[in-house]
Amino acid sequence: MFNEQTYAKKNAAIIVIGDLESSFKKLNNIILDNIDIFYLSEKEIFSFKINRKVIFIVADFYKLSISSRYFLFKNNSWRMYQVFHLFTGKKLYNFYECKMIYSYHFINNMNIYLIHHNIRAMISCISDSNEIHIDIEDFKMLFSGCKPMFAFAIGIENNGISKVSSAINSILPVIKDIDESDFILVNVTGWGDLLINEVNSIQDFILKEVKEDATVVFGFGKNKHLNDVLFLDVWYGKLI
C-alpha cells in the first residue's frame, strides 16, 4: 500500500519449536500452498539457517530455556521480519522493530486455529497475488509501537445473506474495542463475483467503527480456491 515490494509465497516460512508438532499439524491444510513448515527442537534453533523474508515462529515460550528465549528475541539472522506466536501466561510486548509478537495463554484447538488463520492472512496480504497490495513494511509502520490484535471472519452466501454481510455479522462481535484503536489494517480475500463495490461495503463498515483520527489501511486479494467464501482479516492496535 505505502511500500511497493512484494513477495512470492516461497519467501515466507513457518518454524514450530518444541513439542507443538502434533497440535500444529492438525490444521495445516489452512496454510496456503507452497509455504514451508520447519519443526525444530529447542537445541536445533541455535544452528538452524534459513534465508526467507518473513518467518512465523510458534513456541511454548516459558518451556524454553532462558538462553533460547534470549536467542529468539535477539536473533536477527533469520532475515527481515519475524512474527512470534507464543504460548505464555505473561504479557509480552513488541519492543523490536523487526518483530511482531502475539501471545496466547493456553495451547488449545481454538488458539492453534487462530494462529493458522493469522499466518494465512498475513501471507495473503504480502504475497504478490494481492490486487491492492500490503507490504510487510506497512505492518512494521503500523504496529511497531503497539501490540496488535487479530480477528477474522469467513463470509458465506446463504439464505439470501451475501458473503459480505455474513463476514461483517461474524466479525462485529469480535472487534468490540476497535473503536479505541489507533492503527487498523484490513484485508479482504475472495474470488469470482467479489466485486469492488462489495469491498467498498466492508471499507464503509470499518470506517464507521473506528475513531476519526485512526490510521486505516485496506488491502484486497483474489484466491481461486475461494469460490464460495470470503475472508475478512483485521489487525488493530492501540499505542502502548
Side-chain angles (χ1 to χ4, degrees):
M1 180 68 71
F2 299 120
N3 304 279
E4 296 183 356
Q5 187 169 4
T6 61
Y7 303 96
K9 294 173 186 175
K10 65 182 180 181
N11 285 327
I14 301 163
I15 297 174
V16 181
I17 300 170
D19 57 358
L20 297 173
E21 181 172 351
S22 59
S23 297
F24 204 75
K25 278 186 172 179
K26 288 179 182 178
L27 295 170
N28 64 7
N29 59 314
I30 294 174
I31 301 299
L32 296 176
D33 294 336
N34 303 317
I35 304 300
D36 288 329
I37 305 178
F38 299 92
Y39 297 95
L40 304 180
S41 69
E42 184 174 345
K43 291 182 179 179
E44 289 173 326
I45 66 174
F46 297 100
S47 58
F48 183 70
K49 304 294 183 184
I50 189 168
N51 185 11
R52 303 294 173 87
K53 297 294 185 183
V54 185
I55 304 294
F56 298 91
I57 301 166
V58 185
D60 193 350
F61 191 62
Y62 280 96
K63 282 189 176 180
L64 301 178
S65 65
I66 297 294
S67 58
S68 296
R69 297 179 215 167
Y70 183 85
F71 175 82
L72 288 177
F73 279 144
K74 292 295 185 179
N75 170 39
N76 290 319
S77 63
W78 288 353
R79 307 304 290 176
M80 176 181 168
Y81 196 79
Q82 297 168 32
V83 183
F84 287 92
H85 294 277
L86 303 176
F87 295 102
T88 170
K90 297 184 179 182
K91 289 184 178 181
L92 296 173
Y93 295 100
N94 180 9
F95 295 112
Y96 304 97
E97 181 186 357
C98 64
K99 296 177 173 67
M100 180 184 289
I101 299 172
Y102 295 89
S103 60
Y104 309 83
H105 283 277
F106 307 105
I107 300 173
N108 57 31
N109 287 339
M110 188 63 224
N111 285 336
I112 295 290
Y113 184 70
L114 188 62
I115 290 170
H116 275 268
H117 273 286
N118 189 305
I119 295 173
R120 169 202 57 76
M122 285 194 70
I123 290 174
S124 175
C125 283
I126 67 176
S127 71
D128 50 13
S129 60
N130 242 31
E131 301 283 321
I132 301 177
H133 182 66
I134 295 173
D135 190 89
I136 198 68
E137 293 291 336
D138 296 327
F139 279 95
K140 290 170 67 173
M141 180 196 71
L142 291 171
F143 300 119
S144 62
C146 65
K147 183 176 183 294
M149 302 293 290
F150 169 71
F152 76 94
I154 302 174
I156 302 173
E157 189 169 348
N158 189 29
N159 294 328
I161 299 176
S162 69
K163 288 181 286 187
V164 170
S165 295
S166 172
I168 289 175
N169 292 338
S170 296
I171 208 167
L172 188 56
V174 184
I175 55 172
K176 292 179 180 178
D177 52 350
I178 197 172
D179 59 330
E180 300 177 359
S181 297
D182 297 297
F183 304 101
I184 299 96
L185 192 154
V186 182
N187 194 61
V188 183
T189 311
W191 186 253
D193 60 351
L194 182 63
L195 303 176
I196 194 65
N197 63 328
E198 294 179 301
V199 178
N200 288 340
S201 296
I202 292 175
Q203 179 173 310
D204 291 342
F205 158 72
I206 293 293
L207 292 176
K208 288 178 182 177
E209 297 296 318
V210 303
K211 58 186 183 180
E212 290 185 1
D213 60 345
T215 300
V216 186
V217 176
F218 287 93
F220 166 48
K222 290 187 176 181
N223 185 329
K224 64 182 179 181
H225 300 296
L226 300 180
N227 280 327
D228 302 317
V229 301
L230 173 150
F231 280 124
L232 171 57
D233 302 302
V234 182
W235 294 263
Y236 53 103
K238 186 175 182 180
L239 284 173
I240 297 173

